[in-house]
Amino acid sequence: MHTFISAHNLNTFLNTLIAAGTRVVAPRLNAGTVLYEPLQNAAELVLDQLPRRSGKEAFFPLCEDIMSYRKEGQQVTLQTVDPALFPETVLFGVRPCDAAAVPVLDAVFSWDYQDEFFLERRRKTTVIGLACTSADDACFCTAVGLSPAATAGSDLFLTPMSGGGYRCAACTEKGEALLQQHRGLFSPSSDHEPLPLAEPQVERIDLARVKAWLDTHFEDPAWDGIATRCVGCGLCAFVCPACHCFDIVDEGTEKAGKRRKNWDACGFWKFTHHASGHNPRDQQPKRYRNRIMHKFKYYDDKFGQTLCTGCGRCIRLCPVGIDIAAIVDEISTK
């Protein structure tokens, strides 16, 4: 059932959560850049721009401690991080392309190994999605089967209304519970119509044809042309809402330090560099091929869906202008 919340009541809702000790992560301005970050108050909220990085950092941090160690004489002390101490979180203002990546990551981190750090943060996070009413020429969510109003991954979903305020729909039991806790701020309905939705640049790509080509063209010479510009900076993976590669590294000295989980990227030369010195992806085209294969074949083989939500960040921010949507679209016509 749809309900309505005014812009004023929405600010009250967020401020009430913050005052109660809930970590509210939402788009805010930081040194000229909009990022998903914890709010101090609702006045910091910025909803007219897609954040530069995705919302996955709320439950999959760029760097996180797993344990620390200290050696004094012959005594070694280990201290582990207790996931039970992770805070209750509301991830607010999440665009459909970011929210749709949440169940994609859920599958990865609960597949053959239960990642308690990721899963505990997810259990404690309520995702409030927001429909898109604007798009640029890098947006291509519709090309991968989503839409500016897709509710996948959201617990609550907001749609901007023409007269101000938002229509709100509960998508999960978690979302319904949060709505009921603050039901005094919501009204049954609004007399206004929803604002027109955004129109992404690329309407649709035949993903079945893309996968069929990838299934049989691992060694195709076309890869040299596709990846000739890639410099292996890893930016595309770091801004992507669905990329999830990480490394575990011990940082410190023999006396003290930490074991940390840090983001990694298959575009990096060292990602597949063996201790023997051999690197099966010793050239950049091979590494970029893996990126395309992972998103449009390997993940599909394992989980039955595409590892791309069409957010367009990798297109906007690539320093050499690589357009993954154009590449995949071209593959679909081969």
Side-chain angles (χ1 to χ4, degrees):
M1 183 178 74
H2 291 126
T3 58
F4 174 80
I5 186 168
S6 67
H8 174 77
N9 281 359
L10 179 63
N11 287 342
T12 301
F13 170 65
L14 295 175
N15 285 329
T16 300
L17 290 171
I18 294 168
T22 300
R23 185 178 70 139
V24 177
V25 177
R28 67 181 293 272
L29 196 63
N30 183 335
T33 300
V34 176
L35 302 170
Y36 287 106
E37 293 186 335
L39 299 181
Q40 298 299 313
N41 58 71
E44 296 179 326
L45 189 64
V46 177
L47 291 180
D48 61 350
Q49 297 181 48
L50 179 72
R52 183 182 180 90
R53 299 197 303 265
S54 78
K56 70 182 179 185
E57 295 180 53
F59 33 80
F60 179 35
L62 178 64
C63 301
E64 66 176 323
D65 295 343
I66 297 175
M67 57 167 282
S68 61
Y69 62 90
R70 179 173 296 278
K71 182 179 180 182
E72 297 178 356
Q74 298 301 308
Q75 181 68 35
V76 177
T77 302
L78 300 179
Q79 184 171 357
T80 59
V81 175
D82 184 2
L85 300 178
F86 294 160
E88 293 289 337
T89 298
V90 168
L91 179 57
F92 180 84
V94 184
R95 301 294 175 163
C97 53
D98 282 348
V102 175
V104 169
L105 296 175
D106 286 346
V108 172
F109 287 99
S110 62
W111 166 49
D112 59 342
Y113 176 76
Q114 301 287 310
D115 187 315
E116 60 178 332
F117 288 84
F118 176 90
L119 294 176
E120 183 64 14
R121 285 192 175 94
R122 278 288 293 119
R123 279 190 287 269
K124 291 184 173 180
T125 299
T126 301
V127 179
I128 302 181
L130 176 67
C132 285
T133 56
S134 63
D136 62 19
D137 58 5
C139 294
F140 65 104
C141 65
T142 51
V144 292
L146 297 172
S147 80
T151 61
S154 293
D155 297 302
L156 287 173
F157 192 77
L158 303 180
T159 303
M161 305 298 282
S162 59
Y166 303 86
R167 187 173 67 187
C168 179
C171 306
T172 67
E173 292 182 1
K174 186 187 290 186
E176 179 65 30
L178 184 63
L179 192 154
Q180 289 302 319
Q181 288 171 16
H182 302 273
R183 58 184 177 273
L185 297 173
F186 294 83
S187 58
S189 62
S190 168
D191 295 332
H192 298 285
E193 294 296 319
L195 288 173
L197 295 174
E199 297 183 7
Q201 187 77 4
V202 182
E203 291 186 2
R204 191 76 182 182
I205 294 174
D206 190 335
L207 298 178
R209 284 181 62 88
V210 172
K211 186 177 183 302
W213 188 87
L214 296 176
D215 283 341
T216 56
H217 289 80
F218 184 83
E219 297 290 355
D220 197 287
W223 291 112
D224 289 334
I226 289 172
T228 187
R229 285 182 293 167
C230 181
V231 295
C233 68
L235 180 148
C236 52
F238 276 43
V239 299
C240 174
C243 280
H244 49 264
C245 293
F246 64 88
D247 195 5
I248 295 178
V249 180
D250 291 338
E251 302 176 1
T253 69
E254 73 279 6
K255 295 295 185 181
K258 295 180 177 181
R259 176 163 292 174
R260 310 189 78 194
K261 181 195 291 185
N262 303 317
W263 286 3
D264 208 343
C266 62
F268 294 152
W269 175 79
K270 291 185 69 175
F271 188 79
T272 50
H273 189 214
H274 296 185
S276 66
H278 173 63
N279 191 337
R281 300 183 200 142
D282 56 344
Q283 298 175 357
Q284 201 59 39
K286 295 179 181 179
R287 295 190 277 276
Y288 195 80
R289 174 184 64 193
N290 184 74
R291 177 171 178 76
I292 299 294
M293 287 282 191
H294 190 191
K295 288 193 169 294
F296 298 97
K297 171 176 161 53
Y298 300 150
Y299 190 90
D300 195 347
D301 286 340
K302 187 66 185 178
F303 298 108
Q305 66 182 105
T306 299
L307 187 68
C308 177
T309 62
C311 72
R313 288 184 178 91
C314 61
I315 300 172
R316 293 182 199 94
L317 299 173
C318 178
V320 293
I322 294 176
D323 186 333
I324 192 173
I327 290 170
V328 176
D329 192 29
E330 181 179 352
I331 289 174
S332 72
T333 63
K334 290 182 180 293

